[in-house]
Amino acid sequence: MNSASPTAPPPLPAPSAARRAMPRRRRWAVLLAAVLPAVCGTLPAAAAPPGPSVTAPAPEQAPVMPQSVLDRIVAGGVPGVIALRRRGSEVRTATSGTSDRRTGDPIHAGDRLRIGSNTKTFVATVVLQLAGERRLRLTDTVERWLPGLVPNGSAITIRQLLHHTSGLYDYAGDPRLLAPYATDRAHYWPPRGLVALAASHPPLFPPGASWSYSNTNYVLLGLVIEAVTGRRADAEVRERVLRPLGLHRTTFPLRNPRLPHPHTRGYLTNLPVDTAPDGVLDSTVLSPSIAWTSGGMVSTVGDLARFQRALLTGRLLRPAQMRELTTVVPGSDYGTGIIRWDTSCGTAWGHDGAFPGYLSIALTSGDGERQAVLALNTDRVLSEGTLADVDTAVETLYCGSAGPGGRQRPTHADGAGEPGERLRRFLPSAAPGTPVVAAARATPQAP
């Protein structure tokens, strides 16, 4: 880790001659295209060579860790990667690459990172707890708790927010979201301002008529938590989840654009050279308010694994709410703030998340005996080969091998068996600044 991080946000890249000649609006459009969902080119190689480090159990006891795959991910342009694997009480970690491109410091398994839409599972857990306490009902409408905030709020239920069946536009698709960060990386977006961005667009479909991933749903759920409890949503997550589970390295910042130490720096990669000198932009310092309860939390791979294991083994929810958690929306793999992930060794549950400069995927079996967590310090997994390597790493961590053909097997008919197919289904609509995937076609969201 870099122990001498700057006290001020790193500036955007100094303009090259070509960039100086570019009109201001065009310059920002280039950067905006780099951090919003798009289809782009191939990722350049990372500046630092892979620097693998693996925990050192006795060779005869060591579980299979996909070290060569982690190294390939780094060789494909990802600065650094962290992996965690659980089998019962045995937990192993592995790493490859760097946490800081300036210093070449290696990435460490205990580094903090932004977890993006993995935040949604924490928020859904609090909402389900409130339902179990009968302080709200999942059939309550948005209008009941947030009067006048959302057009047609009387027709949208809390359950539809949890399931992404509200039809509300995803505010992350509005270009106004990132405009302030051209000059101020600490710019604060109030949650109701994010909702207003979404409300300025027509709905995608009538409530309950279809499915479409939308960060707006989980910002509204954060506001519902506050309306029900009279306390800030982040405080409720801390008191109900983080403290009881001892997740001391997990935080829920609202305004602070910096990460607590130790952390890995986050990078936007494969940018135009007239936007960033070597095609890479350090995005570590950035306001978490662009995501709030849809994706603003900070954690480690170890804390993510501990949270998911506690959740899926019934430590946080009552039986009725546990059944609600894993009730999947027809036509999708999405439950209640959690995703069903079919692997070669059975069904896993978890989520993935992206935030500018960070990507994480966490999976857990229903009995908590099997886990896989993978975290990258870029959210732009661009090449088809690197995307397939990420898929293979997750499958190997979870199952011990990459399964038939080294590919995960999605439950949907569209593109079944293609490398990276499961990641493409959800990551393009995760937290703001989601990955950019090079592919002949982008997989559409499930209906």
Side-chain angles (χ1 to χ4, degrees):
M1 288 304 305
N2 175 25
S3 59
S5 298
T7 58
L12 295 175
S16 63
R19 189 181 179 201
R20 285 194 297 268
M22 189 185 299
R24 179 177 176 84
R25 181 176 296 180
R26 174 60 179 156
R27 289 201 306 268
W28 174 242
V30 170
L31 184 58
L32 189 66
V35 293
L36 286 180
V39 176
C40 202
T42 304
L43 197 69
S53 70
V54 185
T55 54
E60 66 274 14
Q61 297 176 345
V64 175
M65 294 296 287
Q67 187 64 54
S68 62
V69 182
L70 302 185
D71 294 344
R72 285 204 308 269
I73 291 171
V74 172
V78 174
V81 57
I82 306 169
L84 177 147
R85 175 181 179 174
R86 173 185 290 277
R87 289 294 181 277
S89 61
E90 183 181 51
V91 178
R92 293 291 181 264
T93 59
T95 65
S96 186
T98 181
S99 69
D100 191 325
R101 296 178 73 251
R102 296 171 303 171
T103 64
D105 289 346
I107 198 167
H108 297 289
D111 284 348
R112 291 179 174 89
L113 63 145
R114 301 189 192 275
I115 62 171
S117 284
N118 276 294
T119 302
K120 290 181 172 66
T121 313
F122 288 84
V123 171
T125 298
V126 172
V127 173
L128 289 173
Q129 287 178 341
L130 292 171
E133 296 163 9
R134 299 187 177 182
R135 299 179 68 179
L136 61 75
R137 296 180 180 179
L138 300 187
T139 53
D140 287 348
T141 66
V142 173
E143 187 69 17
R144 160 75 174 82
W145 292 105
L146 304 171
L149 184 60
V150 178
N152 201 29
S154 60
I156 300 171
T157 67
I158 291 175
R159 181 179 280 113
Q160 289 167 345
L161 297 179
L162 289 163
H163 285 174
H164 295 296
T165 57
S166 69
L168 292 171
Y169 179 85
D170 186 349
Y171 74 84
D174 191 309
R176 291 173 291 179
L177 175 69
L178 292 177
Y181 300 103
T183 55
D184 179 14
R185 293 201 187 185
H187 173 81
Y188 175 73
W189 270 104
R192 289 174 179 262
L194 300 177
V195 174
L197 288 179
S200 69
H201 297 265
L204 304 180
F205 48 80
S210 189
W211 181 93
S212 184
Y213 195 103
S214 174
N215 291 287
T216 307
N217 294 322
Y218 276 73
V219 170
L220 285 167
L221 288 169
L223 291 171
V224 168
I225 290 171
E226 295 189 339
V228 172
T229 66
R231 286 162 44 91
R232 289 188 341 204
D234 61 300
E236 288 294 318
V237 171
R238 280 195 298 271
E239 292 299 320
R240 292 171 171 271
V241 180
L242 305 188
R243 289 185 181 175
L245 297 182
L247 304 183
H248 303 303
R249 293 197 169 191
T250 301
T251 58
F252 201 153
L254 301 182
R255 292 178 177 267
N256 190 347
R258 298 174 182 84
L259 293 171
H261 291 291
H263 65 261
T264 178
R265 303 195 72 82
Y267 297 96
L268 301 177
T269 50
N270 201 46
L271 301 178
V273 294
D274 58 0
T275 300
D278 59 355
V280 180
L281 180 68
D282 188 324
S283 60
T284 308
V285 177
L286 188 65
S287 172
S289 68
I290 65 171
W292 196 48
T293 49
S294 74
M297 292 180 69
V298 173
S299 191
T300 65
V301 296
D303 272 12
L304 266 180
R306 183 182 298 183
F307 163 65
Q308 280 195 0
R309 193 177 196 222
L311 176 63
L312 286 163
T313 55
R315 289 181 57 189
L316 295 172
L317 297 176
R318 301 178 184 186
Q321 282 68 50
M322 286 296 297
R323 291 190 293 272
E324 188 80 40
L325 178 74
T326 54
T327 299
V328 173
V329 178
S332 83
D333 288 327
Y334 210 87
T336 303
I338 201 166
I339 299 170
R340 181 182 63 196
W341 197 296
D342 289 350
T343 75
S344 62
C345 60
T347 298
W349 296 93
H351 216 292
D352 40 38
F355 190 98
Y358 299 93
L359 170 63
S360 55
I361 304 163
L363 304 180
T364 300
S365 60
D367 60 6
E369 293 297 295
R370 190 183 291 265
Q371 290 189 289
V373 185
L374 193 73
L376 284 63
N377 58 359
T378 179
D379 67 317
R380 292 167 56 79
V381 182
L382 300 180
S383 74
E384 190 69 17
T386 301
L387 191 64
D389 285 337
V390 170
D391 247 359
T392 298
V394 173
E395 179 85 2
T396 305
L397 288 166
Y398 190 78
C399 292
S401 66
R407 297 174 179 179
Q408 294 186 350
R409 297 181 292 182
T411 57
H412 298 281
D414 53 326
E418 293 183 9
E421 181 65 29
R422 291 305 297 259
L423 297 181
R424 279 200 297 267
R425 294 197 63 79
F426 291 102
L427 292 178
S429 289
T434 51
V436 181
V437 178
R441 60 172 177 79
T443 302
Q445 294 295 332

